[in-house]
Amino acid sequence: MSDALYGSCAEVLSLCQSMKDDLAAILDPEKGFAPRLRQICRDQIADLEDSRASQSEIELLRMEQNTWGLLQAVMPARKTDPPSVPSARDLLYENPYTPTLTLAQAIMNSSPLLSELIVIREWLHETAPAPMHPEANTGYWKFTKHNVIQSIRMGNAHRDGLVKEMDPDAPNREEGRSLAADDARYEKNLLQALYGYIRGGRFDDAVELCRKAHQPWRAASIRGSFLFQWRALSAEPRDEDSMEDEDDMDIWSGNQNRQLWKTACTRAALSSALSDQERILYAALAPSPQTSNVLKLACRTWEDHLWAQVSIMCEEKESMELSRLGGSFWEGGVEAVNKGVNNEANDAEEDEWKKEAISSLDSLKSIAVLEGPPADHAFHFSQLLIILNRTNTLLDSFAVGLKDGSYTQSSFEYASMCRFFAHFCLFLQMIDIPVPPLATQVILESYLQVLEDAGQRDLIAMYASALGENAIERYALFLVSLALSADINERRLALTRARDHGLDPARVAVVTAERTIEQAFDVLPGLEGPLPSIIALQLPPTDAELFLLRSIEWTIFQDTTHNTALEQANVILRYFLGTGRVQAAQSLLDVLPPELAGIPEPEERATEYLHYRQFFVIWETVERVVDCQSQHVPGMNKDAKATWLDDYRSLIDQAHDQITRLLTTEWLVSDVENPGDELDERRKDLIRIRQIYIPELIIRLHFLLFDSRHFIPENLKRALQLANIVADSRYQLYEDFVNEDGKRLGDYLGAVREAILGGLEGGGSDPFRVMASA
């Protein structure tokens, strides 16, 4: 894909976005959004053909060009109210001699689906391939004529099995006889060319070709498809100042008895006596369910099948309505006029026709084709769903394909499809057609990645800002999608780009953090089940846990989001502590800015955060005690041992004071026995955290004191005094030992028993003697 193509599409987008409040301008048939992009594709095709590029790339652009043409064909009618015009019934009431063409137009105007199908048929005519012209012909069956004349001159009337007569029906009437080989080949090519003209809606060209081929009867057959028109009898408005219009009033055209003509065409199409090419031509002239199998013989591409189906539906609907209305002289003669117009409106019949039409179109999703891209090609799928007005389904489907790998970046179609769908989303937004937000996000971000890969960095900001009213949410989802692939510097840069795109970075940061936490919690297990062990070796954080940890980064980049960061930090700390992942919680605390501790309100949130910080100060002190204890080695000299002992004593005193202070205050929650409202998940989580860590801190402090009794004898007494604090009803610490199996309470009681027995180590029989010592 050339760099100029990206820039050209961006220019069109920028231009149309500048006039987004002018719907008529965006839908203008010449200078609107879709026609401009169609022209860009057309120009690009011309450049590729000149440079002899691959046919597959040209074909892909041609399909995109056609799809923009389809959008321009159907969207204006969907977004604008149809003009108020008289119905066919009203016209017939007023004038039973109203021409068939006028009635057909009124029928079309009264049915939005029929109107759209006719527009689609015209689009298929416009995009049809040019027919192959037969070679020039200087006379009617000249080779056969020459051979017949030669045979007559030589007295051999049956020469070479040629026809004996030259009328058009001779090859079908004279069994076993045929035209001269050159004429038969020309006839076949002519019929194929005529079908090509009918397929392209070029009836006048087909008529002209018949005249050049010296076959005026074929021209008459084709002109029979034209609906009868006579302006003198129609209700069309007239230009009183135009003499030309006045002269045309008395001129009529078209087929006055089209029903009879259609019956003849149907019989010809079903006649086994005619060649396949002739039958196909008549089936194309008068498409109907009866002739559909014949018409489908000529359908080689998916577009051919779509055209055949749409043509049949349009022709049948118009015929059905004209027949149901009655009262038309040109359809039923004087008898129909005498019977009058049918007054009954059959809504059930209309609904049934709509269902059948949609079902018929739906069947094209999987139809087999002989040439060209298959039915399930992305552009064919897109065209069909656009016709069915299922744009949301289309966008969702493409977005799913992008996410599940159905469309890989290595495919040559990937960039083109992303470009089309990105501009398709933006086009729908500009004309106020709702689009699915998540699918649009995926599609636009995929195109942004295409632009980055193509080095089109100057265009990225514009497309990012084109995310619409939900830009904050969508850009946040994009940032969430970075997951673990981007480091903190890349994340900061990505957030900074939000401001460059006209978005509020603070709002983006908050929404990104919220969505990250939501996605992480969708994967992570909940805070349920038995209390975790925090003694066992802790494994490194999983990817889901890292994803949750990184969510806080979005709200700590800016001071304006620190309040949100405080709230989210509490949520994450609550989760990690509730699952026993102390190290993960500690790593989160390490990256939080110190300013969070200075936020005073809301008080409940600020207090919870300070309590977590208090806990980790204690946790670090306990680890320092353990580390200091391990530094004692036998044989230390007196000075070294004295220094070590001072440090050891100081750390234990510090740990004792910090833990005692935590135990004698309402850390996290009070009244643990009352879990509160069933819906208060936060309180339940805080109680769970207390039941994990209060017993753990008590037992750890007990063993720090007990293990140090040989160096600091008074610590044995402090260990036993700790039991008094645990048992003190004012602090209700015993409630934190309540869990499923009561194991932690048993562990602590065993430790207290061991401390009591430790009081006998110096001799004597009174285990509580140590409590009475100074």
Side-chain angles (χ1 to χ4, degrees):
M1 189 185 305
S2 70
D3 292 345
L5 185 56
Y6 293 113
S8 299
C9 292
E11 289 177 7
V12 171
L13 176 62
S14 178
L15 175 65
C16 290
Q17 283 184 331
S18 67
M19 53 185 184
K20 61 181 180 180
D21 296 328
D22 189 351
L23 182 62
I26 296 174
L27 295 175
D28 185 88
E30 298 296 331
K31 298 182 179 180
F33 186 81
R36 287 178 183 271
L37 288 180
R38 179 179 58 187
Q39 186 60 47
I40 288 173
C41 293
R42 188 174 293 148
D43 295 342
Q44 183 71 11
I45 290 171
D47 292 342
L48 290 176
E49 287 176 339
D50 291 341
S51 61
R52 297 183 180 179
S54 68
Q55 193 59 38
S56 57
E57 187 176 357
I58 293 174
E59 182 62 29
L60 190 66
L61 268 171
R62 183 171 286 111
M63 294 178 75
E64 181 181 355
Q65 169 193 311
N66 293 344
T67 307
W68 285 119
L70 172 62
L71 286 167
Q72 179 57 38
V74 300
M75 286 304 176
R78 291 178 183 176
K79 290 301 299 179
T80 55
D81 295 329
S84 178
V85 294
S87 67
R89 181 177 285 104
D90 293 339
L91 292 174
L92 286 172
Y93 273 133
E94 182 180 344
N95 178 13
Y97 299 95
T98 300
T100 313
L101 178 61
T102 305
L103 294 176
Q105 289 172 337
I107 291 170
M108 179 190 73
N109 292 332
S110 66
S111 172
L113 179 56
L114 177 60
S115 298
E116 193 160 288
L117 288 174
I118 290 174
V119 167
I120 292 166
R121 183 176 63 183
E122 291 173 354
W123 165 72
L124 288 163
H125 289 162
E126 179 186 342
T127 58
M132 296 292 293
H133 285 271
E135 63 273 16
N137 186 17
T138 57
Y140 170 63
W141 291 353
K142 61 178 183 179
F143 295 104
T144 303
K145 178 181 178 182
H146 174 76
N147 286 330
V148 168
I149 293 174
Q150 189 71 13
S151 298
I152 292 174
R153 287 176 179 172
M154 298 179 64
N156 181 12
H158 305 289
R159 180 182 175 185
D160 298 330
L162 295 178
V163 293
K164 296 184 290 183
E165 298 174 349
M166 293 290 289
D167 64 279
D169 291 327
N172 304 320
R173 186 179 61 251
E174 298 180 21
E175 188 174 347
R177 295 185 174 276
S178 61
L179 302 176
D182 289 337
D183 288 335
R185 183 169 55 254
Y186 177 82
E187 194 76 5
K188 180 178 179 181
N189 292 341
L190 174 65
L191 290 170
Q192 289 175 340
L194 291 174
Y195 166 78
Y197 280 125
I198 303 303
R199 165 69 179 83
R202 298 164 60 180
F203 287 78
D204 289 336
D205 291 336
V207 168
E208 184 61 26
L209 180 60
C210 291
R211 289 172 176 161
K212 289 181 178 179
H214 308 284
Q215 297 188 12
W217 66 88
R218 257 194 228 288
S221 296
I222 293 172
R223 288 190 61 85
S225 63
F226 297 170
L227 292 168
F228 175 62
Q229 180 181 17
W230 193 353
R231 294 187 62 191
L233 296 178
S234 71
E236 297 177 8
R238 306 173 186 177
D239 187 351
E240 296 180 359
D241 297 330
S242 175
M243 294 298 297
E244 183 179 348
D245 282 355
E246 191 67 30
D247 294 338
D248 291 341
M249 295 301 296
D250 294 330
I251 300 176
W252 62 267
S253 64
N255 193 339
Q256 296 182 22
N257 198 343
R258 195 169 183 274
Q259 274 192 338
L260 180 61
W261 168 87
K262 186 176 179 180
T263 301
C265 287
T266 301
R267 291 185 63 182
L270 298 177
S271 173
S272 58
L274 300 179
S275 66
D276 287 345
Q277 289 75 27
E278 189 120 25
R279 295 173 64 198
I280 289 170
L281 176 63
Y282 284 112
L285 286 170
S288 66
Q290 296 93 327
T291 62
S292 62
N293 289 334
V294 178
L295 184 56
K296 289 176 181 178
L297 292 174
C299 296
R300 307 190 65 80
T301 66
W302 184 83
E303 289 83 358
D304 289 341
H305 284 282
L306 176 61
W307 169 78
Q309 197 65 55
V310 170
S311 297
I312 290 170
M313 289 188 290
C314 291
E315 182 70 27
E316 279 301 291
K317 176 62 174 175
E318 290 178 346
S319 298
M320 179 180 69
E321 288 299 314
L322 286 171
S323 175
R324 186 167 62 84
L325 281 170
S328 171
F329 174 80
W330 306 108
E331 288 293 304
V334 175
E335 182 180 354
V337 175
N338 292 335
K339 285 184 178 180
V341 181
N342 183 5
N343 293 321
E344 297 180 4
N346 195 333
D347 293 336
E349 191 173 296
E350 175 72 12
D351 292 340
E352 184 63 27
W353 175 75
K354 288 180 181 179
K355 291 179 182 178
E356 290 179 0
I358 292 172
S359 176
S360 298
L361 292 172
D362 259 329
S363 67
L364 297 175
K365 288 180 180 178
S366 56
I367 198 160
V369 300
L370 299 176
E371 295 178 4
D376 60 357
H377 187 278
F379 274 122
H380 284 161
F381 183 72
S382 300
Q383 291 166 3
L384 184 58
L385 290 194
I386 289 169
I387 291 170
L388 293 170
N389 201 14
R390 299 174 186 169
T391 53
N392 279 8
T393 302
L394 172 59
L395 295 178
D396 283 333
S397 176
F398 183 69
V400 168
L402 289 173
K403 290 191 290 187
D404 67 15
S406 299
Y407 299 99
T408 60
Q409 295 189 25
S410 58
S411 168
F412 84 95
E413 295 183 349
Y414 181 82
S416 295
M417 297 307 303
C418 287
R419 186 193 67 250
F420 167 75
F421 274 99
H423 290 88
F424 180 43
C425 290
L426 298 174
F427 174 55
L428 294 179
Q429 287 179 336
M430 282 188 285
I431 60 176
D432 294 327
I433 292 181
V435 293
L438 294 179
T440 303
Q441 170 69 25
V442 171
I443 292 168
L444 290 177
E445 293 303 340
S446 296
Y447 186 52
L448 285 172
Q449 188 60 54
V450 168
L451 291 174
E452 287 186 5
D453 294 342
Q456 301 293 319
R457 300 189 180 277
D458 54 332
L459 303 180
I460 293 174
M462 183 184 68
Y463 282 93
S465 64
L467 291 171
E469 294 179 358
N470 297 324
I472 296 291
E473 179 74 24
R474 295 173 189 172
Y475 193 66
L477 289 176
F478 163 66
L479 296 179
V480 172
S481 70
L482 295 176
L484 304 177
S485 62
D487 60 26
I488 191 169
N489 293 325
E490 291 175 295
R491 289 164 178 264
R492 188 191 301 271
L493 179 60
L495 187 58
T496 303
R497 287 175 183 162
R499 180 181 291 106
D500 299 335
H501 300 161
L503 306 176
D504 182 355
R507 291 180 59 199
V508 171
V510 170
V511 175
T512 303
E514 289 174 350
R515 298 297 172 266
T516 304
I517 291 174
E518 289 171 2
Q519 288 192 19
F521 281 147
D522 285 341
V523 178
L524 291 167
L527 294 182
E528 299 171 353
L531 301 180
S533 170
I534 57 175
I535 301 174
L537 178 66
Q538 295 209 352
L539 299 174
T542 64
D543 285 348
E545 290 173 335
L546 286 174
F547 189 52
L548 180 60
L549 280 171
R550 283 197 162 189
S551 66
I552 201 66
E553 293 175 0
W554 299 112
T555 50
I556 63 175
F557 290 139
Q558 308 166 82
D559 296 343
T560 53
T561 56
H562 279 180
N563 280 330
T564 304
L566 177 62
E567 178 185 7
Q568 293 168 341
N570 284 343
V571 171
I572 300 170
L573 288 169
R574 201 181 305 144
Y575 176 79
F576 282 129
L577 290 176
T579 55
R581 303 289 282 161
V582 182
Q583 292 179 358
Q586 179 70 63
S587 65
L588 172 66
L589 209 61
D590 291 341
V591 302
L592 295 177
E595 291 83 1
L596 263 60
I599 298 176
E601 293 180 349
E603 183 179 355
E604 183 182 64
R605 186 183 302 167
T607 301
E608 180 181 353
Y609 179 67
L610 292 178
H611 281 177
Y612 291 136
R613 292 187 66 87
Q614 179 187 9
F615 168 79
F616 280 106
V617 169
I618 294 172
W619 200 262
E620 183 180 358
T621 301
V622 171
E623 290 179 344
R624 289 171 61 197
V625 173
V626 174
D627 182 63
C628 183
Q629 187 179 15
S630 67
Q631 293 176 12
H632 177 265
V633 293
M636 294 176 67
N637 61 49
K638 185 177 180 180
D639 292 340
K641 185 173 182 179
T643 302
W644 170 82
L645 186 58
D646 287 343
D647 293 340
Y648 189 37
R649 184 190 302 274
S650 174
L651 287 172
I652 289 179
D653 289 346
Q654 188 176 346
H656 178 270
D657 293 344
Q658 291 173 350
I659 294 175
T660 302
R661 189 179 306 113
L662 182 145
L663 297 177
T664 55
T665 57
E666 295 178 348
W667 185 67
L668 293 181
V669 288
S670 60
D671 193 12
V672 175
E673 282 189 338
N674 180 15
D677 193 318
E678 290 184 0
L679 298 179
D680 190 356
E681 293 296 331
R682 174 181 173 276
R683 178 175 174 80
K684 290 180 180 180
D685 294 344
L686 295 178
I687 292 174
R688 177 184 175 90
I689 293 171
R690 277 190 63 98
Q691 291 178 344
I692 296 171
Y693 296 100
I694 291 295
E696 185 67 27
L697 290 176
I698 291 172
I699 292 173
R700 290 200 179 197
L701 177 57
H702 174 90
F703 278 112
L704 290 179
L705 296 170
F706 180 72
D707 291 344
S708 65
R709 68 189 185 281
H710 298 299
F711 302 103
I712 313 170
E714 65 269 23
N715 279 355
L716 181 59
K717 177 181 178 179
R718 298 167 79 184
L720 293 174
Q721 288 174 335
L722 177 62
N724 292 333
I725 297 175
V726 175
D728 195 323
S729 62
R730 291 176 299 171
Y731 310 127
Q732 298 180 332
L733 297 174
Y734 51 83
E735 295 175 358
D736 293 310
F737 282 92
V738 177
N739 53 53
E740 290 82 353
D741 56 10
K743 183 177 183 300
R744 299 302 281 162
L745 181 58
D747 291 343
Y748 180 58
L749 293 176
V752 172
R753 179 178 179 278
E754 187 178 356
I756 293 173
L757 295 176
L760 302 175
E761 290 177 348
S765 59
D766 184 4
F768 296 104
R769 178 169 54 86
V770 66
M771 298 294 292
S773 62

